[in-house]
Amino acid sequence: MLLKIKTASALFLMLLIFSCGSSDKQHQHSEAVNSASSKIKVLNVGTFHFGYSSDAHTTEFDEKSESAQKEVRQIAEMMARFKPTIVCVESVPEKHVALNTLYREFLKNPATLITELGETSMLAFEVARLNGIDSIYGIDNHMGYNYSVGDFIENSPDLENSIDPETYLELTNHPFKDYPELAEKEKHFDDLPLPEKFRLMNDPRYLDNSIISNADKLLYVGIGDEFQGAENAAIFYNRNMRIFSNLNRIKMSKEDRVFILMGSAHTAFLREFIERSPKFEMVNTLEYLRD
């Protein structure tokens, strides 16, 4: 009888401990959910530059054509479903007045998209208009860096890449080797409809490659015991960290919803910073690019 009592007591104690542990875990999970839900939502969208660009890669796009204007409005309507309260674009903060002067001109006559600032004045302005936003923020930061230093070294008979030319050339010539479906789409990028271009550029694997092709592949480049590649990659990393810092200069509350439109390489870096931020929570861009 005594043995049965001791056994029952032991079982009761174990159940009590387990129950407390489960309760603690449930409480912790609830706190984590509440914490995540209280973060500022961000729709972080990558694009190519609609107009002239000094970037290494450019895309044929007649932004003044009727078909282009129609496709841009289609993308804008998709993005507008996010219902942002803050819109950020690839413009430096110093041009805030000029940027918003042009935006207000667009608001007076929104029947025709303004092409002056490419994707900023065509797409971001329309997303902002559809959501009744008064002012747009530029968060860019300009820093000159030589993204073609590796190509220069490889194409110069008098210079030699002393770090790892094989890997550099592999990343340069076959960027989507492990993803043949992306390679095929990239091969025919100019022929894709605009929504499909955006779906490709915001694919997580494409964004990974944006960091590699703009910065990380330079880590395999250098002359002698020097670090020409790494030094230039560091400048690009620095630029994107400054962009994220500019985002954090904007006063916002937990109720705000932030739409960011920038070149895909900047989008890729922002994704990395935002994912680790205690302040922000990214939504799935591809969910907003569905028809």
Side-chain angles (χ1 to χ4, degrees):
M1 182 68 177
L2 183 60
L3 179 60
K4 288 183 179 180
I5 293 173
K6 288 183 177 179
T7 302
S9 299
L11 286 172
F12 175 78
L13 183 60
M14 289 177 63
L15 286 171
L16 182 61
I17 293 171
F18 178 79
S19 175
C20 290
S22 298
S23 177
D24 287 342
K25 287 180 180 178
Q26 289 173 357
H27 179 66
Q28 290 170 3
H29 176 70
S30 177
E31 284 188 336
V33 170
N34 290 335
S35 175
S37 65
S38 68
K39 291 183 178 182
I40 299 169
K41 302 295 188 299
V42 178
L43 178 56
N44 182 36
V45 180
T47 180
F48 62 93
H49 294 302
F50 290 179
Y52 168 79
S53 170
S54 59
D55 286 2
H57 306 289
T58 58
T59 298
E60 291 294 328
F61 186 73
D62 182 6
E63 64 267 32
K64 294 185 179 181
S65 71
E66 183 178 343
S67 60
Q69 295 252 333
K70 183 178 179 180
E71 284 189 314
V72 171
R73 287 191 188 275
Q74 180 184 359
I75 296 291
E77 289 173 0
M78 293 176 177
M79 300 292 99
R81 294 189 304 226
F82 173 66
K83 300 189 182 305
T85 59
I86 293 173
V87 170
C88 300
V89 297
E90 193 169 334
S91 175
V92 294
E94 293 78 10
K95 293 186 177 180
H96 180 81
V97 173
L99 174 68
N100 283 281
T101 298
L102 189 63
Y103 174 54
R104 283 189 287 275
E105 288 180 14
F106 169 66
L107 293 179
K108 293 176 184 176
N109 182 26
T112 301
L113 299 178
I114 295 178
T115 62
E116 185 174 331
L117 298 180
E119 68 281 358
T120 292
S121 56
M122 293 183 73
L123 181 52
F125 280 14
E126 177 66 353
V127 172
R129 182 188 74 83
L130 290 172
N131 285 278
I133 291 174
D134 296 327
S135 183
I136 293 173
Y137 295 91
I139 59 172
D140 196 8
N141 181 269
H142 292 165
M143 296 183 71
Y145 90 114
N146 186 359
Y147 51 76
S148 61
V149 63
D151 293 345
F152 177 76
I153 293 171
E154 290 294 337
N155 295 323
S156 299
D158 299 333
L159 300 177
E160 180 182 355
N161 179 6
S162 62
I163 296 182
D164 186 352
E166 291 79 11
T167 300
Y168 175 78
L169 291 173
E170 181 71 15
L171 292 172
T172 299
N173 298 323
H174 307 286
F176 297 107
K177 182 183 69 173
D178 297 328
Y179 307 108
E181 74 280 12
L182 293 188
E184 187 64 20
K185 288 182 179 180
E186 175 70 9
K187 182 179 177 182
H188 302 286
F189 187 85
D190 287 342
D191 299 324
L192 296 175
L194 189 62
E196 193 61 31
K197 284 185 174 76
F198 269 74
R199 291 184 191 106
L200 175 60
M201 297 192 76
N202 288 278
D203 186 302
R205 298 166 297 179
Y206 194 100
L207 292 173
D208 286 341
N209 182 70
S210 292
I211 294 178
I212 292 170
S213 62
N214 283 276
D216 287 3
K217 74 176 185 178
L218 296 180
L219 305 181
Y220 302 94
V221 173
I223 301 172
D225 59 356
E226 297 180 347
F227 303 94
Q228 288 84 356
E231 287 166 355
N232 280 282
I235 295 172
F236 196 61
Y237 267 81
N238 190 1
R239 178 184 174 185
N240 285 284
M241 288 188 284
R242 291 184 179 199
I243 290 171
F244 185 61
S245 292
N246 277 337
L247 173 64
N248 286 302
R249 291 182 194 275
I250 301 170
K251 302 302 180 185
M252 56 184 79
S253 70
K254 302 294 185 182
E255 288 71 37
D256 279 311
R257 298 171 67 83
V258 184
F259 170 68
I260 305 173
L261 181 71
M262 304 197 81
S264 62
H266 304 307
T267 300
F269 275 98
L270 287 174
R271 176 193 61 170
E272 298 298 311
F273 304 144
I274 292 172
E275 281 183 344
R276 295 190 294 271
S277 170
K279 177 179 178 180
F280 298 111
E281 177 185 349
M282 276 189 305
V283 301
N284 184 351
T285 301
L286 296 178
E287 289 290 328
Y288 287 90
L289 286 170
R290 292 181 177 178
D291 293 327

